[in-house]
Amino acid sequence: MGFSEFLGNSKALAGVRGMLAGDRVPGALLFAGPEGVGKKTLALMLAKALNCERLKDDFCGKCARCCKAEEMLVAAREDAARRREIQDSARRVEGLVYFDLQLIEPITRYILIEQIRQVRNVAYTRPFELAQRVFIIDQAQAVHWQAVDLLLKILEEPPETTTFILVCPSAHELRPTIRSRCNRVQFLPVEDRVIERILEDQARLPRAQVALGVRIASGSIAKAKTLDLVEFELRRRPWLDYLDGLVAQGALPRGQQAPSPNQPGSPNNPNWPNRPNWPDWMMVFDSTKALTENRESFEETLSIGYALLRDLVHVLEAPEAGGVVNLDLGPRLKAWASKLGLAGIERLKSGLDQAYRLQVRNVNQQLGLDALAIEVSMRQEKMEESARRDVTK
């Protein structure tokens, strides 16, 4: 038990333990870094270490205060889960009770102003059962805009008996005034050797697929521990169909005629070595339907698409440098990258960015991905038409 169980990010861990050993833990900390690399885990460990009766720069997990801290965390999680199930917005925030060690998370899409008001109400009182009160605000970037000023005021004048730990993926998602009030601890993706050891210990993947699992986890301990390769391949399948359909040699668009054999742009003309490709629109439209049918997991779906686009850039620009996530798709990645080019990949990435931003709005994401495919196809067609004209000159 203790900090010895923490995996990866040794620099962040050393910094936190140094603060504890020197008795100089600041009133507000900001743990920033990618998802799943241990930010919240280390925040919870720090909260226990601040209250452990036996150790100064660690925690035992067995003393009365450590056990009480764990009970408070379990109760806080159960309370948040219960409130997320309540549909009535007023009842959802009724009777908020915060413990000496409190994990504060979004109970809707946001951390609500009522939650931050309760922080203010409790923070300036003395702890009841622990030596130091600790508020861990997970997904701090999700604090509602109406509550940001209130949170800032609390951080400007933090009480001596309360420590705030803000946890978020990127410090730049927070207001500069919030960042300036916190001592930042930066987290990085966990080393591949650590991820590989986790996958091997779990024995959920054949040895031949561990390397692929390491790339899919992308430095995230959480992803490594929950990785289901079969489910991942099922979720990835519509993206493969989307790209296959987009670059495929499908049927001509309705109403369009192919050039005659004697025309310069004809597939049979020896001066035009490559037959023009038209997307397989049926495959494209079926794939966009599959990609957008589950709104709850759409952000995870987008992350798989982003990973594929990064792989395409690697294949085009740095094929020898490694870094490709989807190791099992080598030949297809080369074919897609060659067909789309950097311009096509960039436009697809812009389309995914737009889809990510529109998640908070009630929009038809399938229509957006359909339109994106049509736009990329039209750009490719114009480029090919230009190339054909150059050949005939």
Side-chain angles (χ1 to χ4, degrees):
M1 203 60 165
F3 286 123
S4 61
E5 295 186 356
F6 186 75
L7 300 176
N9 276 288
S10 56
K11 187 175 180 179
L13 175 60
V16 167
R17 297 196 70 173
M19 294 176 194
L20 283 165
D23 196 22
R24 50 184 176 81
V25 177
L29 287 161
L30 171 58
F31 286 7
E35 295 288 354
V37 298
K39 302 185 301 297
K40 183 164 66 172
T41 298
L42 189 56
L44 297 173
M45 287 181 168
L46 173 56
K48 292 179 182 179
L50 283 168
N51 288 285
C52 183
E53 295 174 330
R54 300 177 181 177
L55 303 173
K56 182 176 182 181
D57 67 340
D58 207 335
F59 65 98
C60 65
K62 297 179 180 179
C63 68
R65 286 182 183 171
C66 284
C67 292
K68 177 57 69 174
E70 184 61 30
E71 290 176 13
M72 291 175 178
L73 290 173
V74 171
R77 287 193 175 107
E78 291 176 351
D79 182 66
R82 178 184 63 81
R83 292 179 185 279
R84 290 189 189 102
E85 299 297 322
I86 299 174
Q87 299 300 317
D88 184 87
S89 58
R91 289 185 54 241
R92 190 184 292 131
V93 292
E94 278 183 355
L96 282 170
V97 175
Y98 284 175
F99 304 104
D100 290 345
L101 174 51
Q102 183 68 35
L103 178 62
I104 301 164
E105 301 173 301
I107 55 175
T108 62
R109 186 179 293 275
Y110 302 101
I111 294 175
L112 303 175
I113 190 170
E114 289 84 359
Q115 293 174 272
I116 302 302
R117 282 176 180 154
Q118 183 65 10
V119 170
R120 180 194 59 189
N121 294 340
V122 175
Y124 293 94
T125 62
R126 297 192 64 81
F128 291 102
E129 297 181 88
L130 301 181
Q132 181 77 8
R133 176 177 281 114
V134 183
F135 286 127
I136 300 170
I137 304 179
D138 189 27
Q139 302 298 322
Q141 78 283 359
V143 172
H144 196 277
W145 64 268
Q146 292 178 326
V148 171
D149 288 336
L150 180 56
L151 176 61
L152 176 60
K153 186 170 181 60
I154 299 171
L155 296 178
E156 285 176 339
E157 301 173 0
E160 292 184 2
T161 56
T162 300
T163 299
F164 296 92
I165 307 176
L166 278 61
V167 178
C168 70
S170 172
H172 295 288
E173 294 187 64
L174 303 178
R175 278 191 192 175
T177 47
I178 296 286
R179 297 199 303 266
S180 67
R181 300 302 189 278
C182 302
N183 189 314
R184 188 188 309 183
V185 178
Q186 187 63 46
F187 288 71
L188 301 173
V190 175
E191 300 90 340
D192 284 353
R193 58 182 175 79
V194 176
I195 300 297
E196 183 175 352
R197 188 168 72 246
I198 292 171
L199 294 174
E200 289 176 344
D201 290 346
Q202 292 185 144
R204 295 171 61 183
L205 294 179
R207 179 61 193 172
Q209 293 183 317
V210 168
L212 175 60
V214 170
R215 296 294 178 88
I216 293 171
S218 300
S220 169
I221 292 175
K223 285 184 180 179
K225 289 183 175 180
T226 59
L227 178 63
D228 184 333
L229 199 55
V230 173
E231 181 183 354
F232 171 79
E233 290 175 345
L234 288 173
R235 294 171 69 94
R236 186 181 64 174
R237 177 78 257 173
W239 282 117
L240 308 189
D241 292 343
Y242 186 78
L243 292 169
D244 275 342
L246 190 56
V247 305
Q249 180 176 297
L252 278 167
R254 185 176 298 177
Q256 184 172 334
Q257 293 183 348
S260 69
N262 298 323
Q263 290 178 346
S266 168
N268 296 327
N269 188 307
N271 293 323
W272 180 239
N274 298 314
R275 185 186 190 278
N277 293 324
W278 293 279
D280 185 335
W281 292 114
M282 186 62 70
M283 179 180 288
V284 169
F285 297 151
D286 285 346
S287 67
T288 58
K289 180 180 179 181
L291 288 168
T292 57
E293 62 185 359
N294 189 343
R295 293 181 65 91
E296 296 299 320
S297 62
F298 187 60
E299 186 168 339
E300 179 63 25
T301 297
L302 287 176
S303 71
I304 296 173
Y306 277 121
L308 284 166
L309 294 185
R310 283 195 299 271
D311 286 352
L312 295 182
V313 174
H314 276 296
V315 168
L316 276 180
E317 296 297 299
E320 305 301 326
V324 171
V325 171
N326 297 275
L327 296 171
D328 56 330
L329 300 178
R332 295 172 80 176
L333 291 172
K334 291 179 180 178
W336 294 331
S338 175
K339 175 66 177 178
L340 291 168
L342 280 177
I345 297 170
E346 182 181 4
R347 181 64 198 97
L348 285 171
K349 193 265 183 185
S350 298
L352 265 58
D353 289 344
Q354 178 76 352
Y356 180 86
R357 289 191 295 269
L358 291 175
Q359 287 183 94
V360 298
R361 300 173 61 184
N362 187 24
V363 299
N364 188 329
Q365 294 282 20
Q366 181 181 355
L367 185 59
L369 292 179
D370 290 343
L372 176 61
I374 293 170
E375 181 181 348
V376 171
S377 174
M378 290 176 66
R379 289 191 178 192
Q380 293 297 118
E381 186 177 343
K382 289 179 181 178
M383 292 174 61
E384 291 177 0
E385 180 63 31
S386 177
R388 288 197 290 270
R389 286 197 299 268
D390 291 342
V391 169
T392 58
K393 288 182 180 178

